[in-house]
Amino acid sequence: MKQQHNEAHDHAHDHNGIFGQRTELYFSLLSGVFLLIGFLIKILGADTQSVWFYLIPFFFSYGFGGYYITIEAFEKIKVGGFEIDFLMIAAAIGAAYIGSWAEGALLLFLFSLGHALENYAMIKAKKSIEALGDLTPKAALIKKNGKVEEVGVEALKINDIIVVRPNSKIAADGVIIKGNSAIDQAPITGESMPIDKTAIASTDNLPKFNAIDSAHVVYTGTINGDGSIEVLVLKLSKDSTVARLIKMVSEVETQKSPTQRMTKKFEKWYVPIVILVVIILCFAYLVVNEPFEDSLYRAITVLVAASPCALAISTPSAVLSGIARAAQKGVLIKGGKALEDLGSIRTIAFDKTGTLTEGKPKLTNMIPFQNYSKEALARLVLEVESLSNHPLARAIVKDVESQYNLVHENVASNVNAIQGKGISATYQNKTVFIGNEKLISDEGLTIAPELRSKMEGLLREGHTAMLVAHGTSVVGLISVMDVPRTTAVETLKRLKSIGIKRMVMLTGDHQNVGDAIAKQIGLTEAKGNLLPEDKVEAIKELMQRDGKIAMVGDGVNDAPAMAYSTVSVAMGAAGSDVALETADVALMSDKIEMLPFAIGLSRASKRIITQNIWISMGVVALLVPATILGLTGIGLAVVFHEGSTLVVVLNALRLLAYNEKK
């Protein structure tokens, strides 16, 4: 039924009319203008003029005010739905029948204004999201056989090479193969600062798009800085991150929030009951000693008072405003359910690698021993590790170069990887071993007690520690660790301050590593040694204990656990298909600090939805008894009733200006 309602709604607004998309708003304002003219004529010259003189402006007011409502009511009746629009038309015709033309016109004017504003709010919300669609440039400069020519973006194929000039939009998702530049990614990820991007070293054996280091990846619609770059196209325009975002946001409406579903159910029963009560009230004159006209007047006044217009738009307008505000900040919230659920969360589970930590090992300690200096140890480690292709070795080389300002001189040779233990090589005519305790013991070298205790201390704190031997003696100890994100501590503090009670880390790493990082950044607890299926079990346990739970991860290896949680939040979802598909909330940038904003926005939306429901139900609860008892006339009923609709829409629009309180 709701699907049909939506189709009817969309259909009613497909024909933009003579003033384009704002036709409904202009029609509503014209209805108000003619209402005012009729009202003034009636007051100023009612005695001298014919009744038709002021009825003509009211006719026009009815025409403009009732045009869109009638189309919509008719569309819904065709699919078997008697909804609020139908009640409004009935009330306006009834008002005209009993001679209350001004009140009927006022009713249509205010209802159409509320409707037009709701529509405007929805168009504005959708526009701020669909603005993403305008991000994609229409043409691209393609490089073929050394020549550059302009083609439409739809003509681009995978593995084409496009040239992106300085300060122009990037036309496809891909990887930089030449040049470097600072790219403004704000349109996609919400990041305020441009990100430095460089060309990838080689395009041989490229991994999947979302596995490529983000320092080389560019997205459609982002803006190039001052450098000219060449990009290898890796996604067609229809599959680009922007295209997927637009598709998902346009589907967002179909995921109704719990409150929306509840109000829809309520309306389904409520509207027929109102119609029944109104019909019964028409015959009140048979019981009460009054003329038929009085009974009819009361029945029509009740019809106006009882229409739950404000209730009907209280939730959708707030949900759409909330989702639009989130999209402006690079947070994609999929539907009202996710928006409402996120605010009620008190426990958050985090994946460790890449979510709370950088996801890249960093050199954390360089401890020389015997009579070795720190610089000599750094030089030895750099020369030997630069011969290895192991990711850990690459990370060590990078950090040694930057921390100690060294450049390797290719003076080590004969590198050899020893499976599960470390590496050996020749340096200064002596053999070097870098690896774990087992490697050193197997070579018959002794480890001094003080070095052993230092190593054990580092291991307890979650570091990966390696001993370094040169010739016959152990000359030092180095350690690496996946370090926490610089923003993690602050973000967790903010989460705690907004009432998140428990923050749990789920990791495949050793329990020691988990505990060490949890302590460093202020988590409540850490669960280590977890495979993806163990994470699902952990989520189930947490849900039994705490009811609702949000899971924050990168959406790739966490997909099963995320699917099981109440609300799943994917980090750095730009470019990651899996994250966009599986998550309820996607943080487009790789910034965990957007999480408190998303939760705060969700709570603000929930507050506004609750306020709106109280306003709309409160007005109906007061007006219906007052009109049945004849305490209010139709004019007052119209003003109160439609006034509440306007208040509700304007209240929802406040969300478009939401900012997290620091």
Side-chain angles (χ1 to χ4, degrees):
M1 173 65 222
K2 183 64 200 163
Q3 186 60 38
Q4 291 169 326
H5 163 67
N6 267 350
E7 280 163 16
H9 185 281
D10 294 341
H11 183 82
H13 297 294
D14 278 347
H15 34 83
N16 281 336
I18 52 173
F19 300 118
Q21 277 197 315
R22 294 189 175 169
T23 306
E24 188 174 6
L25 189 60
Y26 291 148
F27 269 32
S28 167
L29 295 173
L30 283 169
S31 168
V33 169
F34 282 112
L35 166 67
L36 189 65
I37 293 168
F39 196 63
L40 289 172
I41 292 172
K42 192 176 177 186
I43 290 174
L44 300 175
D47 301 336
T48 55
Q49 306 296 343
S50 139
V51 68
W52 284 103
F53 198 64
Y54 70 81
L55 274 190
I56 290 168
F58 285 147
F59 278 146
F60 277 109
S61 179
Y62 259 65
F64 284 117
Y67 179 74
Y68 276 105
I69 308 168
T70 311
I71 291 174
E72 200 145 317
F74 181 66
E75 292 287 347
K76 284 177 197 166
I77 290 165
K78 279 203 303 200
V79 294
F82 287 87
E83 288 189 22
I84 293 149
D85 320 73
F86 173 75
L87 291 187
M88 286 295 105
I89 298 297
I93 292 168
Y97 179 78
I98 57 174
S100 301
W101 282 92
E103 288 84 350
L106 180 64
L107 174 76
L108 287 178
F109 161 59
L110 288 172
F111 182 68
S112 66
L113 184 62
H115 213 270
L117 276 177
E118 178 208 3
N119 211 38
Y120 174 70
M122 295 203 178
I123 285 172
K124 194 171 163 57
K126 283 195 168 143
K127 258 207 183 130
S128 71
I129 295 160
E130 282 167 3
L132 290 168
D134 304 334
L135 291 173
T136 314
K138 304 289 172 272
L141 295 170
I142 190 168
K143 191 174 183 181
K144 267 189 188 158
N145 312 324
K147 288 200 186 81
V148 175
E149 55 177 291
E150 190 173 293
V151 296
V153 286
E154 54 291 335
L156 288 177
K157 293 193 263 312
I158 307 272
N159 293 335
D160 276 348
I161 293 170
I162 56 171
V163 175
V164 186
R165 301 239 165 97
N167 307 314
S168 61
K169 280 183 184 172
I170 293 167
D173 286 16
V175 64
I176 301 176
I177 54 167
K178 192 174 174 189
N180 51 56
S181 189
I183 310 283
D184 177 2
Q185 299 196 138
I188 303 289
T189 64
E191 290 162 295
S192 52
M193 297 295 292
I195 309 295
D196 288 329
K197 302 271 183 172
T198 56
I200 197 163
S202 160
T203 53
D204 300 337
N205 303 324
L206 267 183
K208 280 194 174 149
F209 182 71
N210 51 319
I212 301 171
D213 185 338
S214 64
H216 312 307
V217 169
V218 293
Y219 305 115
T220 308
T222 54
I223 301 147
N224 187 17
D226 293 335
S228 183
I229 54 173
E230 289 183 15
V231 174
L232 180 72
V233 177
L234 295 181
K235 284 191 178 186
L236 299 174
S237 60
K238 66 174 187 345
D239 301 321
S240 71
T241 303
V242 172
R244 298 174 65 83
L245 276 182
I246 298 160
K247 181 170 169 283
M248 279 173 178
V249 173
S250 55
E251 288 166 2
V252 143
E253 248 286 68
T254 58
Q255 291 198 23
K256 295 288 162 238
S257 77
T259 317
Q260 248 168 310
R261 283 203 294 272
M262 195 179 74
T263 51
K264 264 286 153 235
K265 270 186 197 154
F266 173 76
E267 277 173 40
K268 213 169 156 183
W269 288 99
Y270 182 80
V271 171
I273 290 168
V274 168
I275 293 170
L276 196 65
V277 168
V278 167
I279 291 168
I280 292 166
L281 283 172
C282 288
F283 298 101
Y285 73 95
L286 299 174
V287 184
V288 187
N289 186 17
E290 64 181 12
F292 170 65
E293 278 72 24
D294 289 3
S295 293
L296 187 63
Y297 181 84
R298 188 192 298 109
I300 287 161
T301 309
V302 169
L303 179 61
V304 172
S307 300
C309 312
L311 180 69
I313 63 175
S314 59
T315 320
S317 53
V319 165
L320 265 161
S321 298
I323 287 168
R325 177 63 186 141
Q328 288 167 355
K329 289 282 225 171
V331 179
L332 177 68
I333 299 178
K334 292 196 208 162
K337 186 176 185 313
L339 184 70
E340 280 195 29
D341 283 346
L342 190 59
S344 58
I345 295 289
R346 292 286 175 272
T347 301
I348 303 178
F350 295 91
D351 166 48
K352 178 184 83 80
T353 310
T355 301
L356 292 171
T357 63
E358 297 283 356
K360 297 188 277 282
K362 288 267 196 309
L363 181 69
T364 47
N365 284 288
M366 174 83 65
I367 303 164
F369 194 60
Q370 304 284 45
N371 49 6
Y372 243 73
S373 70
K374 206 172 219 183
E375 280 65 34
L377 181 61
R379 165 65 65 194
L380 178 152
V381 169
L382 173 64
E383 294 301 339
V384 173
E385 293 287 8
S386 61
L387 299 174
S388 166
N389 280 327
H390 193 281
L392 219 49
R394 285 208 294 268
I396 292 169
V397 168
K398 192 174 154 208
D399 288 351
V400 171
E401 285 177 339
S402 62
Q403 287 175 27
Y404 296 91
N405 234 343
L406 295 173
V407 179
H408 72 88
E409 295 161 356
N410 286 331
V411 290
S413 58
N414 302 331
V415 72
N416 197 2
I418 304 160
Q419 198 56 46
K421 295 185 201 171
I423 61 170
S424 69
T426 306
Y427 174 69
Q428 292 175 348
N429 301 322
K430 289 183 193 166
T431 307
V432 173
F433 293 102
I434 303 177
N436 57 20
E437 197 178 330
K438 189 163 173 22
L439 172 68
I440 303 300
S441 314
D442 288 355
E443 294 303 326
L445 300 170
T446 50
I447 304 162
E450 56 197 278
L451 204 55
R452 190 186 293 272
S453 70
K454 265 187 186 159
M455 183 172 186
E456 283 164 0
L458 288 172
L459 290 170
R460 268 197 306 278
E461 285 171 20
H463 298 256
T464 301
M466 288 162 276
L467 292 157
V468 182
H470 190 200
T472 55
S473 51
V474 177
V475 295
L477 174 66
I478 62 170
S479 69
V480 294
M481 189 181 185
D482 181 10
V483 293
R485 285 173 180 265
T486 45
T487 51
V489 178
E490 187 51 41
T491 302
L492 295 183
K493 269 192 197 145
R494 272 163 55 206
L495 288 171
K496 208 169 263 179
S497 72
I498 60 171
I500 301 296
K501 300 270 188 294
R502 284 196 178 95
M503 292 177 279
V504 186
M505 180 165 74
L506 308 179
T507 177
D509 276 357
H510 196 279
Q511 187 68 46
N512 282 356
V513 178
D515 290 340
I517 287 180
K519 204 164 127 194
Q520 260 178 293
I521 60 177
L523 287 163
T524 334
E525 59 188 289
K527 293 175 184 282
N529 301 321
L530 302 177
L531 296 168
E533 54 268 31
D534 301 329
K535 287 187 182 179
V536 174
E537 286 308 310
I539 292 286
K540 285 183 184 174
E541 281 168 33
L542 289 168
M543 283 182 92
Q544 275 173 349
R545 185 183 76 183
D546 300 341
K548 286 183 173 179
I549 183 163
M551 167 80 187
V552 184
D554 57 12
V556 183
N557 58 352
D558 308 315
M562 288 172 82
Y564 210 89
S565 57
T566 319
V567 184
S568 54
V569 182
M571 293 268 302
S576 164
D577 300 348
V578 185
L580 282 175
E581 293 291 352
T582 54
D584 301 310
V585 178
L587 309 180
M588 298 313 291
S589 70
D590 205 19
K591 289 189 172 176
I592 194 167
E593 55 267 40
M594 290 312 294
L595 193 55
F597 164 80
I599 291 172
L601 175 68
S602 163
R603 290 184 183 168
S605 306
K606 192 127 176 127
R607 269 197 307 278
I608 281 180
I609 288 168
T610 311
Q611 288 164 8
N612 281 356
I613 284 172
W614 278 106
I615 293 167
S616 47
M617 292 309 287
V619 168
V620 168
L622 287 171
L623 276 183
V624 171
T627 48
I628 288 176
L629 298 171
L631 303 175
T632 17
I634 195 165
L636 203 60
V638 167
V639 170
F640 264 95
H641 180 263
E642 295 309 320
S644 69
T645 306
L646 295 182
V647 168
V648 159
V649 172
L650 295 171
N651 194 30
L653 284 175
R654 286 192 309 143
L655 281 170
L656 288 172
Y658 173 81
N659 269 315
E660 186 197 351
K661 292 179 187 70
K662 286 285 193 294

